[in-house]
């Protein structure tokens, strides 16, 4: 159907200008991966949580962001 093709062509340029942030969250003393840690993009209603191996990824538009990383029982940290 032609409508779907046009829709994909409109979205393609926006998708190609995204950046992916990938990381892990670990305990600084034990290096234990923190499962379910929250990663939030400060100033936006967007975020994610770590998986069973402490990994996370975020797809964002190009730019500078501050990430807030929080986990129950740990101090919340901010990263630019």
């Amino acid at each position: 159907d032609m409508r779907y093709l046009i829709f994909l062509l409109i979205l393609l340029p926006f998708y190609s200008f995204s950046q992916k942030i990938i990381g892990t969250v670990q305990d600084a003393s034990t290096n234990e991966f923190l499962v379910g840690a929250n990663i939030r993009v400060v100033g936006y209603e967007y975020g994610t949580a770590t998986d069973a191996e402490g990994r996370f990824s975020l797809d964002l538009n190009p730019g500078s962001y501050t990430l807030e990383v929080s986990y129950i029982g740990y101090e919340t940290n901010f990263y630019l």
Side-chain angles (χ1 to χ4, degrees):
D1 189 339
M2 188 64 160
R3 290 180 302 191
Y4 296 113
L5 178 59
I6 292 171
F7 182 71
L8 289 174
L9 291 175
I10 290 171
L11 287 180
L12 188 59
F14 295 106
Y15 182 75
S16 64
F17 291 107
S18 67
Q19 63 184 13
K20 182 172 276 214
I21 298 172
I22 300 170
T24 58
V25 179
Q26 297 173 257
D27 181 287
S29 308
T30 66
N31 289 327
E32 178 183 352
F33 295 115
L34 299 181
V35 178
N38 293 304
I39 296 87
R40 185 178 72 85
V41 182
V42 176
Y44 299 87
E45 293 184 19
Y46 187 72
T48 190
T50 57
D51 65 12
E53 296 175 352
R55 297 179 301 204
F56 71 92
S57 68
L58 291 166
D59 291 314
L60 302 169
N61 291 326
S64 297
Y65 299 94
T66 300
L67 299 181
E68 175 187 64
V69 180
S70 61
Y71 192 75
I72 296 173
Y74 287 79
E75 182 179 324
T76 298
N77 289 300
F78 295 88
Y79 301 92
L80 297 176

